[in-house]
Amino acid sequence: MQKINGNTNGIRRSTLERLESVYGVEIERKQFCMEEMLQILADFTEATGREAMVYLSRDGQVASVAVGEQDRVSLPAMRKRRSEIRLSGFRCIHTHPGGNPHLSDVDVQSLKTLRLDAMAAVGVKDGKPVSMQVGILDEPVSETEISVLLSGPYAVSSISHDALWAEIRAADIRFCPPASKKAEAEIARAILTGVTQESGDPLKELSQLAGTAGFITVGQLVQPRAKPDKSTYLGTGKLHDLVLQIQTLQADTVIFDDELSPAQIRNIQKELGKTEILDRTSLILDIFSSRASTHEGRLQVELAQTKYMLPRMTGYWTHMSRMGGGGSGGGGARRGEGETQLEVDRRILRKRLLELEREIEKVKSRRGIQRAARERSGIPVVALVGYTNAGKSTLLNKLSGSDVLAEDKLFATLDPVSRRVNFGGGDLLLVDTVGFIHKLPHDLVDAFRATLEEAAFADLLIHVVDASSPGRAGQMDVVTKVLEQLDAGHKPLLTVYNKCDMTNEAVVDRGSVSVSAKTGEGLEPLKSAVTMKLSAVRVNVSVLLPPDSGALVSRIYANGQVTDCQYVENGVRLDASVTQEDASRLRASAIKLFD
């Protein structure tokens, strides 16, 4: 038997088993309900004094049986994808003790909120279903109010099935979206949820991420607490509220604003049923996966996804509970006796993880070779860093005349891009890096370290800040922390406030520049500031060092740009572009300085 939902405490097992028999009742499509079913519900109400309710799908299947108030009982999962029908596709039939068949205010509100096909109340008296009243949604009165068409009360023995189904079909037509919205109805609908004590719009960034991933945000739920519940993230009560919101808004997916643990995923999935669960990390990984266009980028994303999935396999993959006993035949690899499918899949995933890590090491090695060649050329490297969607790619396009993809979306560009430019003080290499974000997954930082190290080895960092963002201070803090994580926090930095055309507030920091990458405003002062910063950062030095200066020469190779190094009779002749600090070291150790 399938379970009875709601509060069943204190009810005899025999009474519950009688109610469970409703699941076995067969209803023809053309019937609204059956007297046999109503009698079973009435027997339960007579025995317990409680309401009993049944949810029927349009094909006559009993989707759920419940005890208690209908606004506190979980409805079955609706549809994964919304079709043209705007009603839920379910009708609720429930009992009223005392013989009163009239729909209550709570009944009517549940009909409206859950967009049920119909809400029916059956008056029970002396253990018999006596009469019924049915409510069906009528015309929308306003954007927030819908009128209800009430039919009955009438005797349960004379239910007009055809008339009720005609009204439901008419309601379907009234609530069917126009043709222009049919495509939108097929897009996955998401509810965003998070645990935070922040005021304002704490899930704004999560909403932007969801939009970038192709979701329509239809609702939000915030739990105001210091930290998430270890078991269910939101807590039991709030999780129940989330279930009701899913039913009300006909959501397909719930997106959580933090990374969920394997235990949290399991517990939440038990409550949400077939509703898809995504946490912040998996959402970002999905976006990265769709945006990676190069072989290197795809490797890095797959590495991060594999690290994320490995401890969560039981939470996401339902087929893994199958046992596979050892067989005696067949060649090739096979499972050992008693080895579960989960163990097999984990072993495969670990093997793939090692392969990806080896590939990433090769990428890192190639980048090191390319970087060494670039350093020998003596061209300074300027890296654009900043919060995602701050306008780095647009700024790169304006400064270099290139056409790198630039969209008003988070992580519009993923793979690093470099362009050679000249602002009047000599050639330099301008490098665009992947944008940072709040709660950037640790595995993602590790996977993309080979790419992000471009910032660590740059001569100058241009920190691009969205001047129009009300949360720019927090975004700047995020960038600073990630740079420190990459051992790039000590690098010379120029702060550039972008999108100054979108804000009336003047942003003035000492040594910063305000620009609009979209209109070109402030670009000339920015070029001058970059040239000035580079001239202060590096100086050209030509020296003759003592023969035992190997350690110093190695340091210059690591931190500077060596253009020429010759071992002569009385020492080491070195020509390099170095920082002011290293220039002082070279001069102090030099046998001779050359002009």
Side-chain angles (χ1 to χ4, degrees), residues 331-385:
R334 58 185 175 86
R335 288 178 291 189
E337 185 173 355
E339 187 178 21
T340 64
Q341 183 65 42
L342 173 60
E343 290 164 345
V344 173
D345 290 340
R346 276 182 175 158
R347 178 156 43 81
I348 294 171
L349 212 56
R350 289 191 188 100
K351 181 180 178 182
R352 180 57 181 160
L353 183 63
L354 293 174
E355 292 172 352
L356 289 168
E357 287 176 338
R358 284 195 292 267
E359 286 294 320
I360 293 296
E361 281 302 314
K362 292 178 182 178
V363 170
K364 188 174 182 180
S365 177
R366 286 196 298 268
R367 281 194 170 274
I369 294 171
Q370 293 168 356
R371 189 179 299 116
R374 194 169 60 215
E375 289 173 350
R376 286 194 295 271
S377 71
I379 300 178
V381 177
V382 178
L384 296 169
V385 298

